[in-house]
Amino acid sequence: MSSYTLSGEVDADNVSIVRTSVRLWELARAERYILDLHATFERLAGDGHRRS
């Protein structure tokens, strides 16, 4: 698992995304979306952005 740090702007955007996601979808779907978003950040922080 790669490590990453979000900037203050990105962290604030994530808070907004969480609030909007919970408002628009049920909580379980919003949680899956946020977990997928963080998994993408981890891939980008590591070797996941390289093509084979």
Side-chain angles (χ1 to χ4, degrees):
M1 183 179 294
S2 297
S3 177
Y4 63 92
T5 302
L6 300 176
S7 71
E9 289 176 336
V10 172
D11 197 40
D13 285 346
N14 279 342
V15 170
S16 178
I17 290 168
V18 168
R19 287 180 180 153
T20 301
S21 298
V22 169
R23 186 172 39 103
L24 295 176
W25 305 322
E26 77 260 6
L27 181 59
R29 182 174 173 194
E31 286 176 336
R32 284 192 309 270
Y33 177 79
I34 298 304
L35 290 173
D36 288 346
L37 184 61
H38 283 282
T40 299
F41 292 156
E42 289 178 3
R43 283 193 304 276
L44 291 171
D47 293 331
H49 62 283
R50 293 185 188 163
R51 293 184 180 209
S52 310

